[in-house]
Amino acid sequence: MASNYSLTAGGLLVRQINYRVVLVQVLVSVFLCINIFQIIVFFMKDSFYTTMRYILFAVILMSDCLFLLMTDILLILSYNSVFIQTWLCLLIYIVLSVYTFVTPLTLTAMSLERYVAICMPLRHAELCSTRSTLHLTLIIHGLSSIPCTVTLSIYFASAARAVYTQGMVCSVEIFILYSWQGYLRSAKGQFYFLIMCTMIIFSYVKIMKVAKAASEKNKNSTGKALRTVILHAVQLLLSLIQLWCPFIESAVLQIDLMLFINVRYFNYVTFILAPRCLSPLIYGLRDEMFFCALRYYALCGLYKKQSSG
């Protein structure tokens, strides 16, 4: 989260949002525990980490955990106006920049997996093998690194060496040296948004065609696949709205500081915190096999606790 929470015209700290910071800590702690529990359940059954959609689901869970943890740390540092050296902020920026895109790209890949399962069932085992999933995960991380690489290449070429040891409140904005970089950043986000939306729509249309032609026996599976793709589309939309937030916030900052603080807090909770917390939980509860595993291990743990008492 950016550092502008702590800045005023006279350099005074803005402390009015203390209750908001506490609320974020509670939400992040709760959802980190939920996501970590789901990750543990994923590794408890062999069938999960040998199936593409569950492996991709685990990638989303781990990506969201890391992203939530890093943004929460930045929030605390910014709120308390803690200065860190630029090289450390650089490392934080790289992680956040990469994992901003990992989740929506993985959601897109999960929609394509449903397309293969419904429209190309005879080739599903071949195309969605564990080996293919590993390669796909590497491709997702590679594609997620491109926007960060472009931004940092420009920064390294323009910034003086002395900057890397200077102390500052860490913010994404410190790596945007020119106004045209902001437009380039917007173009990159919109390009990724367009590609991912196109793939989601393609998957939905293809599955819809199969659903119309399917027999009554297969309508349940195709219908479930359609609902899954729609869920991924909603998740993707919420995840990608955060790419537009910095430009809205920049415009609001020119108008009023307190309005900027309120808008940034709203954007953080609504478009960063909520989608990365609720979406994995909803998907985990919707999937029958994963939900059964969650219920089994949750009740098992409760039973053992009661027995020991």
Side-chain angles (χ1 to χ4, degrees), residues 1-7 14 17 75 260-261 264-265 268:
M1 205 166 179
S3 61
N4 294 333
Y5 273 117
S6 59
L7 300 179
V14 179
I17 58 171
L75 171 64
F260 165 79
I261 292 173
R264 171 157 280 189
Y265 179 80
Y268 177 69

Side-chain angles (χ1 to χ4, degrees), residues 234-247:
V234 173
Q235 290 175 288
L236 184 63
L237 179 62
L238 290 174
S239 297
L240 290 176
I241 286 176
Q242 65 174 290
L243 300 177
W244 300 332
C245 291
F247 313 107

Side-chain angles (χ1 to χ4, degrees), residues 43-58:
F43 284 107
M44 295 296 286
K45 292 196 69 173
D46 294 347
S47 60
F48 288 153
Y49 51 86
T50 56
T51 305
M52 175 178 275
R53 71 175 183 273
Y54 294 121
I55 297 174
L56 294 177
F57 178 52

Side-chain angles (χ1 to χ4, degrees), residues 187-252:
K188 289 182 292 185
Q190 291 179 27
F191 175 74
Y192 274 67
F193 179 83
L194 177 63
I195 295 300
M196 287 184 276
C197 284
T198 301
M199 290 184 176
I200 290 279
I201 294 171
F202 168 80
S203 301
Y204 182 83
V205 171
K206 289 294 185 179
I207 295 174
M208 179 69 78
K209 289 181 179 179
V210 173
K212 288 182 178 180
S215 62
E216 289 298 327
K217 182 179 179 181
N218 295 325
K219 282 194 180 295
N220 287 336
S221 61
T222 52
K224 187 174 182 180
L226 282 173
R227 290 190 293 271
T228 300
V229 172
I230 292 172
L231 173 62
H232 290 335
V234 173
Q235 290 175 288
L236 184 63
L237 179 62
L238 290 174
S239 297
L240 290 176
I241 286 176
Q242 65 174 290
L243 300 177
W244 300 332
C245 291
F247 313 107
I248 298 172
E249 293 164 6
S250 297
V252 171

Side-chain angles (χ1 to χ4, degrees), residues 23-277:
L23 176 61
V24 169
Q25 302 314 302
V26 173
L27 292 175
V28 169
S29 299
V30 170
F31 287 116
L32 276 178
C33 290
I34 293 173
N35 283 5
I36 290 171
F37 175 66
Q38 291 187 88
I39 292 171
I40 293 172
V41 170
F42 166 78
F43 284 107
M44 295 296 286
K45 292 196 69 173
D46 294 347
S47 60
F48 288 153
Y49 51 86
T50 56
T51 305
M52 175 178 275
R53 71 175 183 273
Y54 294 121
I55 297 174
L56 294 177
F57 178 52
V59 170
I60 289 178
L61 288 173
M62 289 184 278
S63 169
D64 288 348
C65 284
L66 181 59
F67 189 88
L68 287 173
L69 185 62
M70 297 299 288
T71 53
D72 190 45
I73 290 172
L74 274 188
L75 171 64
I76 295 171
L77 291 177
S78 300
Y79 174 69
N80 292 287
S81 195
V82 176
F83 280 54
I84 63 175
Q85 291 189 342
T86 306
W87 66 268
L88 181 56
C89 183
L90 183 65
L91 295 178
I92 295 174
Y93 168 71
I94 291 172
V95 173
L96 288 179
S97 179
V98 170
Y99 284 94
T100 293
F101 289 95
V102 165
T103 292
L105 283 172
T106 306
L107 286 170
T108 305
M110 292 176 75
S111 295
L112 292 176
E113 185 274 336
R114 288 293 82 199
Y115 156 71
V116 173
I118 298 300
C119 302
M120 307 169 64
L122 298 179
R123 300 197 62 193
H124 183 263
E126 174 192 350
L127 296 175
C128 300
S129 63
T130 305
R131 184 183 181 86
S132 299
T133 306
L134 176 60
H135 292 161
L136 181 59
T137 303
L138 294 175
I139 291 171
I140 287 171
H141 281 77
L143 292 174
S144 301
S145 303
I146 293 176
C148 173
T149 302
V150 173
T151 300
L152 292 183
S153 297
I154 299 171
Y155 181 78
F156 291 148
S158 306
R161 290 186 178 181
V163 173
Y164 301 116
T165 56
Q166 291 179 356
M168 60 185 66
V169 177
C170 188
S171 167
V172 172
E173 284 77 7
I174 67 174
F175 301 107
I176 307 297
L177 302 178
Y178 308 105
S179 58
W180 58 266
Q181 282 183 270
Y183 298 117
L184 178 61
R185 182 184 174 196
S186 174
K188 289 182 292 185
Q190 291 179 27
F191 175 74
Y192 274 67
F193 179 83
L194 177 63
I195 295 300
M196 287 184 276
C197 284
T198 301
M199 290 184 176
I200 290 279
I201 294 171
F202 168 80
S203 301
Y204 182 83
V205 171
K206 289 294 185 179
I207 295 174
M208 179 69 78
K209 289 181 179 179
V210 173
K212 288 182 178 180
S215 62
E216 289 298 327
K217 182 179 179 181
N218 295 325
K219 282 194 180 295
N220 287 336
S221 61
T222 52
K224 187 174 182 180
L226 282 173
R227 290 190 293 271
T228 300
V229 172
I230 292 172
L231 173 62
H232 290 335
V234 173
Q235 290 175 288
L236 184 63
L237 179 62
L238 290 174
S239 297
L240 290 176
I241 286 176
Q242 65 174 290
L243 300 177
W244 300 332
C245 291
F247 313 107
I248 298 172
E249 293 164 6
S250 297
V252 171
L253 181 59
Q254 305 301 319
I255 301 172
D256 182 74
L257 177 65
M258 289 307 301
L259 179 61
F260 165 79
I261 292 173
N262 292 330
V263 169
R264 171 157 280 189
Y265 179 80
F266 174 81
N267 287 343
Y268 177 69
V269 173
T270 307
F271 301 121
I272 296 179
L273 189 61
R276 292 177 181 272
C277 294

